[in-house]
Amino acid sequence: MRLTPRVATLLAVAALPLALTACSSGSSSDDGGTNARPAKAKDVNAGLATGTQLKKALAPASAFPSGFTLEADGASDTGGEFLSPSARSTAKPDCTRLEGSSWIQVTGFKGGVSFAQNDYANHDKTEEVAQEIDAFQGTTANTVMKQLQAVAGECATFTDTEAHAKVKLTGASTPGLGDEAYTMTLTSGAWQNGTTLVAARSGNSVITVLSTAGTDDGAAAAKKVTTLILGSLKGLKTA
């Protein structure tokens, strides 16, 4: 498996809408000369957590198996700013994205308007657990979850990038995790251990966890990390 951390390019974010052209002093209006105040633009990011807040909600080092340490180059977040939402790509999903971190991008979405992620691995890099939280505007988080289930069908079998071996994917809805959750398991005869991918939605946020830890295709570690993040998000206070 490979670590492919999501790289965020933080562009300057316009804090206010374009200024309205002021009326000249000699102009009149239907309200008897009193200029009406422009309606305040709706904040589409209201209630969403920033990357800084999401970073605090990631599972702590103590949640990972003994001997696992943080991969410094796999940690990133959007800080206190929000990114502009990007349209979903409707191209056929690249199933090989399911082999690395930031696998949420297999849905066609690059990610949320804010996010935080990091990865932990054992000493010889043979096992890893990656975690990411993305916050989305509106009902996009619901759409992401639907797309993940669609991807499970389209990527039922694919060829991996390292061993060039056939990979089998099985997926199922997972009750008891957040507002909704979906779990995928990747296995291959060329791998020593399989991979478990868990996606769980909590309101407008989607948690995605990848695990190859342990002898159960990474299932126990993935569920543990997902559960801890869900608990942290529940107690998270947003602006």
Side-chain angles (χ1 to χ4, degrees), residues 30-224:
D30 294 338
D31 60 1
T34 302
N35 292 327
R37 294 182 179 180
K40 185 178 180 180
K42 180 180 179 181
D43 182 2
V44 293
N45 295 318
L48 298 183
T50 65
T52 300
Q53 293 170 315
L54 293 176
K55 181 179 179 180
K56 296 178 181 178
L58 292 172
S62 58
F64 298 87
S66 176
F68 275 55
T69 56
L70 179 67
E71 298 286 285
D73 60 351
S76 60
D77 62 80
T78 46
E81 301 292 341
F82 289 101
L83 303 176
S84 297
S86 57
R88 185 181 75 83
S89 171
T90 57
K92 184 178 179 180
D94 178 3
C95 300
T96 62
R97 285 190 177 275
L98 296 170
E99 299 178 70
S101 59
S102 292
W103 57 272
I104 192 173
Q105 295 184 21
V106 76
T107 62
F109 290 97
K110 291 183 179 179
V113 293
S114 62
F115 80 92
Q117 73 170 106
N118 61 35
D119 313 302
Y120 285 76
N122 62 358
H123 179 70
D124 54 6
K125 315 298 182 185
T126 57
E127 295 182 2
E128 64 179 296
V129 181
Q131 58 178 340
E132 180 172 343
I133 316 171
D134 288 82
F136 295 90
Q137 296 174 351
T139 60
T140 304
N142 303 67
T143 303
V144 169
M145 295 299 296
K146 291 179 181 178
Q147 287 303 125
L148 283 173
Q149 296 188 43
V151 164
E154 294 184 71
C155 296
T157 58
F158 65 94
T159 302
D160 83 338
T161 56
E162 295 181 1
H164 303 290
K166 182 179 179 180
V167 177
K168 180 181 179 181
L169 184 157
T170 58
S173 296
T174 310
L177 287 179
D179 296 321
E180 58 178 316
Y182 196 78
T183 299
M184 291 181 276
T185 303
L186 311 181
T187 55
S188 173
W191 298 350
Q192 292 183 350
N193 192 31
T195 301
T196 294
L197 306 173
V198 178
R201 181 178 66 83
S202 177
N204 294 84
S205 296
V206 176
I207 300 161
T208 46
V209 175
L210 174 153
S211 173
T212 63
T215 58
D216 60 349
D217 299 330
K223 184 175 182 180
K224 178 180 180 180

